[in-house]
Every structure is written in structure tokens, then in C-alpha cells.
Amino acid sequence: MKQRVQKLIALAGLASRREAEKWIEQGRVTVNGRIVQLGEQADPDRDHVAVDGRPLRLEETPVYVLLNKPAGYVTTLRDPRGRPVVTELLRDVPARLFPVGRLDLTTEGLLLLTNDGKLAWRLTHPRHEVTKTYLVRVRGRLTREAQRTLETGVMLEDGITAPARVAGVRGSDSHTWLELTIHEGRNRQVRRMCEAVGYPVSRLKRIRLAFLELGTLAPGQYRHLTREEVARLKRL
């Protein structure tokens, strides 16, 4: 069955769809020896799909890794500025993994990596509303009014956010800790939400993705998901 070439690349675990689209635009992808254009389709059972001349393999064993990302690492497969990338923390994992969603350079915490492109797409697609919970430290004492705005929707430059859940609020006059749960995946969303209500973020850590939690993982450590966890993710 024919599918878009960028989807086949993602299913093979080589890259996210967005990254695969860039590879196609750069002329790095061929089907039956011909450079393809964005939007073209191919049948993996009949067509020879290759990236940089290397055949695409869709039979790779799926691998699912939960990483406690430290601050100072970028959530990409490579960085033109030479900054550390999260996959450097998984050098002893034989599979080529890519991140499910992103955490920015200074954000810590739970990051899922896999070569299962289909599951990664489902977990990041907005319609599935997979929740993500962050432990946030903001400057100043969070007012009840600001909390209500976070819980009902914050107007950002790219539109109003969906309602968030706020819990565990505690702190002092100098700062406030809170747990913020969202299901959208906009760029730097948590930081922008807090800044929009007048509270710049001084520390941000993702502690939960759906039902997955960091547990006792130290920064830079990872573990493989259990078979039961993978099955439960696929049911979301």
C-alpha cells in the first residue's frame, strides 16, 4: 500500500515526519533511484526507498526509552551549533531513536525516545490530547487570579491555550512552585503561558507524560519501557 514517503521514513525510525520532510526537500531521498518531491508516495513492498543512498528498512525492532533529560541538552538528533544532543546519552542503545516531542535546552525531565514512528505520531498529535505534567518554579508569589487564567486559557500570540490543570501550588514571596498539566504541544508553551500572566519561569521539569513518570531516574539516566507500558500507550 502506498504511503507518503516522509511517513515511511518516520515508521522506519530514522527521523520524525518533520525532519523527513526536510530531507526530501534537500534531495536526500530517492524512490527507485529517482529523487522524490515532498508529497510523493511509495509502496514499501514494491518500491526501493533510500535515504542518502541507504535502503529504508521497516522491519527494525521497536525500542522505547524513557530518559530523564538534564538541562543543557537539545532535543534533536544533531545540532549545527555543536551543543550536546539527547541521543548522546543513549550511545549504548543499538537502535537509532528519535525524541517524541521536544524539551528546550534548559528544560529538564521526562523525554520519551523511540524508533516507532507510528506511536510517536499518535502521542504528539493534538487530537489525542496526551497530557504532560511539568514541575514549574516561577518568580514571585502566584496570585489566585493568575492561576485561574492558567486554568481557563491564556492568550498567546498563536491563540488562546486550552485549559490547564494547576496543582501543588506552594512557595514564598520570592518564588512559587506548581504542577502544570497541559495536552497541547506548542513551542515553549509552559514558559510562554507563565510569562503571559506575569510570572517568568526560573526552572522547568517535565515529570509526567500520560501515565509515565520519572520515578527514581537520575538526570541523564534512562530505562526501557515495559511491554505493559507500551501496550497502554498504544491504547491512549
Side-chain angles (χ1 to χ4, degrees), residues 140-208:
R141 181 184 291 274
L142 186 72
T143 64
R144 181 57 188 156
E145 179 182 0
Q147 180 176 336
R148 279 196 298 268
T149 302
L150 293 171
E151 292 172 333
T152 57
V154 180
M155 180 56 71
L156 303 177
E157 61 270 22
D158 51 354
I160 192 167
T161 65
R165 292 202 307 268
V166 178
V169 179
R170 63 194 187 280
S172 63
D173 290 336
S174 61
H175 69 270
T176 302
W177 287 95
L178 63 141
E179 290 185 13
L180 187 67
T181 300
I182 62 174
H183 62 74
E184 296 176 295
R186 306 189 200 186
N187 184 43
R188 301 182 71 252
Q189 181 173 342
V190 172
R191 293 184 186 276
R192 291 193 294 142
M193 288 174 66
C194 293
E195 290 169 2
V197 297
Y199 293 88
V201 172
S202 57
R203 188 175 179 186
L204 183 60
K205 181 177 183 178
R206 185 156 69 189
I207 58 174
R208 192 175 302 113

Side-chain angles (χ1 to χ4, degrees), residues 69 71-76 79 81-88 105:
K69 174 194 170 299
Y73 284 78
V74 292
T75 312
T76 57
D79 183 65
R81 296 167 58 182
R83 295 172 296 182
V85 298
V86 291
T87 49
E88 294 176 10
L105 180 68

Side-chain angles (χ1 to χ4, degrees), residues 22-87:
K22 292 180 182 178
W23 292 356
I24 293 171
E25 292 172 342
Q26 293 165 356
R28 298 170 57 187
V29 182
T30 59
V31 174
N32 301 325
R34 179 182 60 84
I35 295 177
V36 297
Q37 303 297 316
L38 194 61
E40 290 192 46
Q41 297 184 329
D43 185 340
D45 296 325
R46 298 183 179 184
D47 297 317
H48 181 272
V49 183
V51 178
D52 295 332
R54 296 183 178 181
L56 199 67
R57 297 181 179 179
L58 296 178
E59 302 302 322
E60 188 174 13
T61 301
V63 176
Y64 310 89
V65 167
L66 190 157
L67 170 71
N68 186 352
K69 174 194 170 299
Y73 284 78
V74 292
T75 312
T76 57
L77 300 182
R78 63 186 62 85
D79 183 65
R81 296 167 58 182
R83 295 172 296 182
V85 298
V86 291
T87 49

Side-chain angles (χ1 to χ4, degrees), residues 92-107:
D92 56 340
V93 178
R96 179 181 172 87
L97 306 181
F98 58 90
V100 180
R102 292 194 176 191
L103 297 176
D104 63 30
L105 180 68
T106 57
T107 301

Side-chain angles (χ1 to χ4, degrees), residues 105-117:
L105 180 68
T106 57
T107 301
E108 312 163 58
L110 193 157
L111 182 66
L112 187 64
L113 298 100
T114 184
N115 56 2
D116 185 340

